[in-house]
Amino acid sequence: MSLFNTPLTFKFPWRDYQGKFLDGFQEHITDNHLHVIAPPGSGKTILGLEMLLRIGKPTLVLAPTLTIRNQWRDRLVDFFEPAPANDVLSLSIKDPALLTFSSYQSLFALHRSFGENANEQLVQFIKKHNIETLVLDEAHHLKNEWWNCLFQLKGIEGLTIVSLTATPPYDSSALEINRYFELCGPIDDEIAVPDLIKNEDLCPHQDFIYFSRPDDAQIKYIVSYREQIIDFTNDLLENDTFQSFLMSLEIYQNSETSLEHIYENPSFFSSILIYLRATGHEIEPAKLNILGFKTKDVDFPSFTYEWSQCLLQEVLVNERDNFVAHESILMPIEKALRTIGVLERKKVDFIGNQDLYRNLANSPSKLKSIYEILKDTSKYLKTETRAVVLTDYIRKEFLDFKGKELSKLNKLGVVSIFHFLMAQDGFDTQVGVLTGSLIILHRTALEELRSVMPESNLRTEALDFVKDYYFINVPESGKNKIVAAVTKLFENGTINILIGTKALLGEGWDAPSINTLVLASYVGSFVSSNQMRGRAIRVDADVENKTGAIWHLACLDPTTEDGGKDMEKLKQRFQAFNGVSLNDEPYIENGLARLGLPEKLNADLDIDALNTGMLQEAQNRSVLKNRWDTAIASGNVLIRALKVPYEKEVPFRKTKRLAGLNAVKYLSVQVITGITLFLPEFMLKNFGALLNKGWLSFVYLLGSAIMVGFGPKTLKALKVYFLFGNQFKKTKKIATAVLAQLKSKNLLTTKSDALRIISEQNVNGTFMIYLEGANQHDCNLFVSLLDEIIAPIENPRYLLVGQSWIKRKLGFRSYYVVPTQFARRKEDAVQFKKHWNTHVDGSKILFTRNLEGRKHLLKARFAHMRYQFEEVSEKTVIWK
């Protein structure tokens, strides 16, 4: 089908990876849904145009900004032939044509304009104009109120939806992520960064992290915050009136008649029991039976911050209206939490409130980090330095800063970064400031700017406290021109370092010469971070063998083992980045693991050594290119895999490999060796017993001694086998059951005879499982189902219940989830159970939407605090 009377064709040859993607296009679009990840530099807009032309139906393209909307139209006119007539194209959603380019804002405005029954009228408007294809460009930009009208359109029968993005919003809330994928559908295909580098459309690049610690004032603030929480928790455990209040609640007093309430919110009921047990109260067996436990099965967890948070969120916020008679008890607790900063915006958060996070994310210690990065880069690249520092705020309050009292620069921003650099002795690299409302240039750059913009009447003002630097006042009408002019000065090397805000330079701004990017931004999501990152990884036609260094800043929380909120945010951010490993054998993968960071990022970490190593790696640019070349040559496609990390206290090398019985052998050797050494000594000491009491008594005494001395190690050997050796093998069996179900239900688009389950484990103990021979859609579906099965149990419709008494007694996981995909109908769940019994073990299926099922579901969630799969599995992307 052709959209226009005369079919349009792309003027140029398709790049290899674009051609490969288009070859599979018809296969993906059969369900009227296509979701594609296309990184910066891949020609996303051109591919989008080709797709809508191949679909051949009247189309509405929605873009996040007017600039990007116009780019769609311009690309069609410039890169396809013959040129389409003007009457078949439209930039107005109110007056659509065969091909309409608009924005999400315009769609929302149209939706609002309909007034009453807006949803129905919007749907009728789309149908009236025969729009049959909807293209969503960068749908992660959507604001909350815009989703409604898009879901109304999604409900139109027969509408084809094509979603294009460079960065799915993985670091958003679970609600936002689910909403995004509900609208856009599962990822069908992804254009691989390695392909772009191989094709020289992106340059080799590496992400680095520069670590800092809070200053003394911040450390004091954090320590005080943690100490106040400890004091509060101790006081709460000694609060007799609060204990009496909880024990007087209907849910506790009359638990048997409050089952519906308990099963609606089992975490709250559990938190009450855990709290009361921590205060020394005995918990009646009947209350534990409600949760599906026998008394001897229960291993009460400590009253941790998480349980405290769960308990107080309910009594102080969610159910507060029900406890009006107890305000004299609850109000002092609320005031104490608000004083600490734990209760804000109707949310109890002991882990770290927003003020604590901002305190670290905005730490002035990052000013020194930025300086060290730029100093080292300038020393190595000299006049070839093209560094951009992007941050969130301008911080004009620091414009009058003078001297070298750097402690006064206590907030991260454009002006504070500029002044911090200028205050450093010997730092003479050319620096420029470029924001929407503030421009600062060196005298030499200003002179060249005048020659570039001779017609402009630039008004300048010398900075009082920074020699040879000037403010530039630009009229509103000339802002676009001066941004382009300053960019040109940066491109030609008149300016080596440019400091700006992500609002101006983050999206839409382009300077191919960038070889170093410092992301001093913490407000934006990783969507905007990846767009900023895209500025530094593009090739520069004027620079042969360009490489890009992208620096992320982390201020570590010294009171935690994992580095705190900054590292948590970076971990989320890195999930979107496919990059080459920093050390050892080169491989390409997303996530933080490829940087080889220490497991613990606590106060004992030698960050100076870590930062020095990062700086050295950043300047090994020729080595970086070689690592990319080697890693790219080792594979040809991105594979979506499930990764289960090894995060035990005992090093993996000591417990040996998960793949076999080495772990149990290791401990068995210890037992056998111990007995061998122990036996002669025992016989010498007990020879008299052998003569006086006979062989039977001697053997009994020997057996007792062996059980006492070596029984615990023998039991440990058995547990190690099941927990370590069996974990890897069982995951493979579960994967086999999943694949069998997918095949039997015809849910795969790849030919079944081409599929093979691959399971691999690294020397560090982590193992991965993926589907070989499948397209991206099938890989993603397979991994998502496998992840759902072994992830912590939430609220599935059906459970698979293991029937092995021995494993239950040893504390192994005996409950697994029937994935949502297989649980919508009972017959599908039963069919999956048959595959499970064939490939995994003999489990029975359990429906959780009745009273007995809820009991089992609660037991599945709370009975074992440490499941067999206690590590959090994660979906990863690797180049194979």
Side-chain angles (χ1 to χ4, degrees):
M1 184 184 297
S2 176
L3 181 61
F4 306 120
N5 291 333
T6 304
L8 272 62
T9 58
F10 184 53
K11 291 181 179 180
F12 306 99
W14 293 110
R15 300 166 187 170
D16 292 344
Y17 55 84
Q18 292 174 332
K20 184 167 64 175
F21 164 76
L22 291 171
D23 286 344
F25 169 70
Q26 292 300 335
E27 179 182 295
H28 289 313
I29 204 65
T30 52
D31 62 351
N32 290 332
H33 239 297
L34 181 63
H35 185 186
V36 180
I37 299 176
S42 61
K44 174 167 62 71
T45 304
I46 297 292
L47 283 172
L49 289 166
E50 178 66 17
M51 283 188 279
L52 65 88
L53 290 174
R54 291 192 181 195
I55 293 170
K57 299 176 182 177
T59 300
L60 171 63
V61 177
L62 295 174
T65 66
L66 295 179
T67 300
I68 297 176
R69 177 203 69 177
N70 295 339
Q71 284 177 1
W72 276 83
R73 186 184 185 281
D74 294 343
R75 296 289 191 276
L76 180 70
V77 173
D78 295 340
F79 292 93
F80 290 81
E81 56 186 6
N86 289 332
D87 62 347
V88 298
L89 304 180
S90 173
L91 293 177
S92 172
I93 194 171
K94 292 182 179 180
D95 186 23
L98 281 176
L99 187 49
T100 306
F101 304 101
S102 188
S103 65
Y104 294 108
Q105 297 95 316
S106 297
L107 176 68
F108 178 63
L110 176 67
H111 180 251
R112 288 182 58 185
S113 70
F114 290 129
E116 192 174 351
N117 299 322
N119 292 341
E120 293 81 0
Q121 291 191 58
L122 177 64
V123 169
Q124 290 306 314
F125 178 87
I126 297 297
K127 289 182 176 179
K128 174 185 175 182
H129 290 90
N130 300 315
I131 295 172
E132 298 180 61
T133 300
L134 182 65
V135 177
L136 306 176
D137 188 17
E138 304 289 10
H140 53 253
H141 281 271
L142 300 183
K143 294 182 179 178
N144 287 334
E145 61 267 25
W146 297 354
W147 290 94
N148 180 40
C149 50
L150 283 170
F151 276 113
Q152 297 302 318
L153 299 187
K154 183 180 173 69
I156 298 175
E157 186 176 355
L159 185 72
T160 299
I161 297 181
V162 177
S163 302
L164 302 169
T165 185
T167 47
Y170 290 123
D171 67 337
S172 301
S173 68
L175 174 64
E176 291 170 325
I177 293 173
N178 291 336
R179 184 172 59 182
Y180 171 83
F181 281 104
E182 183 181 351
L183 175 66
C184 299
I187 296 168
D188 291 291
D189 211 342
E190 178 173 1
I191 295 177
V193 167
D195 278 330
L196 292 167
I197 293 176
K198 182 180 180 180
N199 206 62
E200 298 184 351
D201 291 314
L202 292 181
C203 71
H205 54 273
Q206 183 60 278
D207 293 278
F208 300 97
I209 301 175
Y210 200 97
F211 297 93
S212 64
R213 296 201 188 283
D215 58 24
D216 291 342
Q218 287 181 303
I219 291 176
K220 185 177 180 181
Y221 174 84
I222 295 168
V223 171
S224 173
Y225 176 81
R226 302 292 184 204
E227 288 177 343
Q228 288 179 77
I229 290 177
I230 292 171
D231 291 342
F232 169 85
T233 302
N234 291 336
D235 290 342
L236 189 69
L237 290 171
E238 296 176 3
N239 190 331
D240 295 336
T241 56
F242 185 64
Q243 295 168 27
S244 300
F245 158 71
L246 291 178
M247 288 188 289
S248 71
L249 296 180
E250 182 73 12
I251 194 175
Y252 186 84
Q253 279 277 3
N254 301 302
S255 303
E256 291 289 348
T257 58
S258 304
L259 294 181
E260 185 175 348
H261 188 189
I262 291 173
Y263 292 153
E264 282 178 358
N265 193 353
S267 298
F268 177 40
F269 185 64
S270 298
S271 69
I272 293 175
L273 301 187
I274 292 167
Y275 168 78
L276 291 174
R277 176 61 180 260
T279 61
H281 291 275
E282 285 296 322
I283 305 301
E284 298 172 14
K287 300 188 186 304
L288 297 173
N289 290 339
I290 289 173
L291 295 176
F293 301 128
K294 296 178 181 177
T295 308
K296 60 182 179 180
D297 290 339
V298 179
D299 180 16
F300 273 87
S302 302
F303 185 62
T304 60
Y305 291 156
E306 288 81 5
W307 286 114
S308 181
Q309 191 170 296
C310 175
L311 174 63
L312 296 175
Q313 178 71 34
E314 291 299 318
V315 298
L316 297 180
V317 180
N318 298 353
E319 297 193 23
R320 185 67 169 270
D321 292 343
N322 298 326
F323 306 138
V324 176
H326 303 281
E327 278 297 302
S328 61
I329 299 172
L330 300 181
M331 184 54 72
I333 297 174
E334 177 185 336
K335 287 182 178 179
L337 289 179
R338 290 193 182 278
T339 300
I340 300 170
V342 169
L343 177 55
E344 293 180 343
R345 301 181 185 90
K346 296 186 177 182
K347 183 178 180 181
V348 178
D349 183 4
F350 282 96
I351 307 304
N353 63 10
Q354 280 298 104
D355 286 342
L356 180 67
Y357 169 52
R358 288 197 183 98
N359 194 272
L360 287 174
N362 192 35
S363 172
S365 68
K366 292 184 178 180
L367 294 170
K368 187 174 186 299
S369 298
I370 295 168
Y371 164 66
E372 293 294 342
I373 292 167
L374 296 177
K375 179 184 72 171
D376 195 75
T377 301
S378 299
K379 177 182 176 182
Y380 180 79
L381 294 179
K382 299 182 172 57
T383 59
E384 294 180 7
T385 300
R386 300 290 186 277
V388 172
V389 183
L390 289 179
T391 189
D392 297 297
Y393 302 112
I394 297 176
R395 303 292 188 195
K396 290 184 178 180
E397 63 267 31
F398 295 117
L399 282 173
D400 294 332
F401 174 82
K402 62 181 177 179
K404 295 191 177 183
E405 298 178 58
L406 299 181
S407 60
K408 292 184 178 180
L409 299 173
N410 58 2
K411 292 181 180 179
L412 198 62
V414 170
V415 179
S416 55
I417 292 170
F418 172 76
H419 277 302
F420 194 93
L421 296 178
M422 293 299 101
Q424 306 300 320
D425 293 331
F427 190 81
D428 56 0
T429 308
Q430 283 273 6
V431 178
V433 167
L434 179 59
T435 75
S437 61
L438 179 67
I439 298 174
I440 300 175
L441 295 180
H442 188 268
R443 172 177 47 79
T444 55
L446 178 58
E447 292 170 359
E448 189 165 338
L449 181 66
R450 292 184 189 281
S451 66
V452 172
M453 302 178 63
E455 76 285 355
S456 299
N457 183 23
L458 298 176
R459 292 178 296 146
T460 63
E461 179 184 347
L463 270 70
D464 292 337
F465 310 115
V466 183
K467 184 180 178 181
D468 290 336
Y469 275 87
Y470 292 80
F471 292 114
I472 300 174
N473 297 307
V474 185
E476 192 69 31
S477 59
K479 282 189 176 180
N480 289 336
K481 289 184 179 179
I482 199 166
V483 168
V486 172
T487 302
K488 185 175 180 180
L489 299 185
F490 175 75
E491 291 275 276
N492 67 27
T494 302
I495 301 170
N496 298 112
I497 297 171
L498 201 55
I499 308 169
T501 55
K502 68 180 180 62
L504 180 67
L505 305 183
E507 185 176 354
W509 180 75
D510 197 15
S513 65
I514 300 173
N515 51 37
T516 302
L517 176 66
V518 181
L519 295 174
S521 167
Y522 67 91
V523 171
S525 67
F526 95 172
V527 167
S528 60
S529 298
N530 203 28
Q531 289 165 342
M532 291 188 282
R533 184 176 174 272
R535 311 280 81 82
I537 65 179
R538 294 184 179 177
V539 295
D540 184 355
D542 298 326
V543 178
E544 188 177 0
N545 295 325
K546 175 195 166 182
T547 60
I550 303 100
W551 285 94
H552 308 259
L553 308 179
C555 184
L556 300 179
D557 181 347
T559 64
T560 67
E561 291 290 304
D562 61 3
K565 282 285 187 178
D566 252 15
M567 286 307 301
E568 179 184 318
K569 204 71 176 174
L570 282 184
K571 185 175 181 181
Q572 293 173 328
R573 182 184 288 184
F574 269 68
Q575 285 301 107
F577 306 152
N578 294 319
V580 68
S581 57
L582 199 56
N583 303 299
D584 301 325
E585 188 70 20
Y587 65 89
I588 297 170
E589 188 177 327
N590 67 336
L592 267 176
R594 62 185 172 85
L595 295 188
L597 299 178
E599 290 185 11
K600 293 184 178 180
L601 300 173
N602 53 23
D604 297 328
L605 180 67
D606 186 350
I607 63 170
D608 290 336
L610 199 54
N611 288 334
T612 299
M614 287 280 181
L615 290 171
Q616 290 173 348
E617 292 289 345
Q619 306 317 337
N620 288 333
R621 296 190 177 232
S622 60
V623 173
L624 173 61
K625 185 179 186 309
N626 292 336
R627 291 186 67 81
W628 269 105
D629 291 342
T630 302
I632 289 173
S634 68
N636 54 34
V637 67
L638 281 180
I639 295 292
R640 296 187 176 276
L642 187 74
K643 178 169 29 174
V644 180
Y646 179 87
E647 297 178 349
K648 309 293 182 189
E649 293 182 4
V650 180
F652 175 72
R653 293 182 186 276
K654 191 171 182 179
T655 56
K656 305 297 182 181
R657 298 182 186 277
L658 299 178
L661 301 179
N662 289 336
V664 69
K665 289 178 182 177
Y666 172 75
L667 284 172
S668 298
V669 168
Q670 281 191 322
V671 173
I672 295 169
T673 302
I675 293 175
T676 303
L677 296 174
F678 160 79
L679 191 57
E681 182 180 356
F682 179 86
M683 292 188 69
L684 287 173
K685 289 183 177 179
N686 296 276
F687 191 69
L690 174 62
L691 295 177
N692 295 329
K693 298 183 179 180
W695 278 101
L696 187 61
S697 297
F698 178 81
V699 170
Y700 178 80
L701 186 61
L702 175 62
S704 300
I706 289 175
M707 287 301 297
V708 172
F710 299 98
K713 281 194 174 182
T714 303
L715 181 60
K716 183 179 180 182
L718 288 172
K719 295 199 73 171
V720 166
Y721 165 66
F722 284 111
L723 284 172
F724 298 115
N726 196 45
Q727 179 178 351
F728 179 51
K729 291 174 12 179
K730 187 162 189 175
T731 309
K732 290 195 291 184
K733 292 177 180 178
I734 294 172
T736 305
V738 169
L739 181 58
Q741 176 78 350
L742 288 171
K743 287 180 177 180
S744 66
K745 299 300 296 179
N746 294 318
L747 295 173
L748 299 172
T749 58
T750 313
K751 292 182 179 179
S752 61
D753 56 1
L755 301 176
R756 191 161 66 100
I757 295 172
I758 303 296
S759 53
E760 300 173 350
Q761 58 181 127
N762 300 330
V763 294
N764 67 355
T766 295
F767 66 83
M768 290 186 289
I769 291 185
Y770 59 91
L771 199 57
E772 186 180 68
N775 57 36
Q776 290 286 350
H777 175 274
D778 291 351
C779 279
N780 195 44
L781 175 60
F782 170 80
V783 167
S784 297
L785 293 171
L786 187 58
D787 182 51
E788 189 177 352
I789 291 171
I790 71 173
I793 293 173
E794 295 296 334
N795 190 27
R797 185 177 177 85
Y798 289 99
L799 282 172
L800 291 165
V801 185
Q803 302 183 71
S804 171
W805 178 85
I806 295 176
K807 289 185 179 180
R808 286 203 304 272
K809 288 302 176 184
L810 287 173
F812 303 116
R813 181 172 183 169
S814 54
Y815 293 95
Y816 289 89
V817 171
V818 175
T820 305
Q821 181 93 10
F822 306 149
R824 295 189 178 98
R825 301 187 310 163
K826 182 178 181 180
E827 50 265 42
D828 291 340
V830 171
Q831 185 178 23
F832 179 61
K833 188 208 77 162
K834 291 179 181 177
H835 291 303
W836 182 278
N837 290 348
T838 300
H839 299 287
V840 185
D841 60 27
S843 294
K844 64 179 181 180
I845 195 166
L846 184 71
F847 183 61
T848 66
R849 297 303 190 255
N850 53 35
L851 187 60
E852 186 63 25
R854 296 300 292 181
K855 286 185 178 181
H856 278 278
L857 179 58
L858 292 176
K859 187 172 183 179
R861 293 174 64 183
F862 299 111
H864 308 296
M865 294 296 113
R866 296 172 66 86
Y867 275 164
Q868 174 180 349
F869 291 96
E870 62 181 11
E871 301 90 349
V872 178
S873 59
E874 58 186 41
K875 289 180 272 190
T876 188
V877 180
I878 55 177
W879 178 255
K880 286 287 184 182

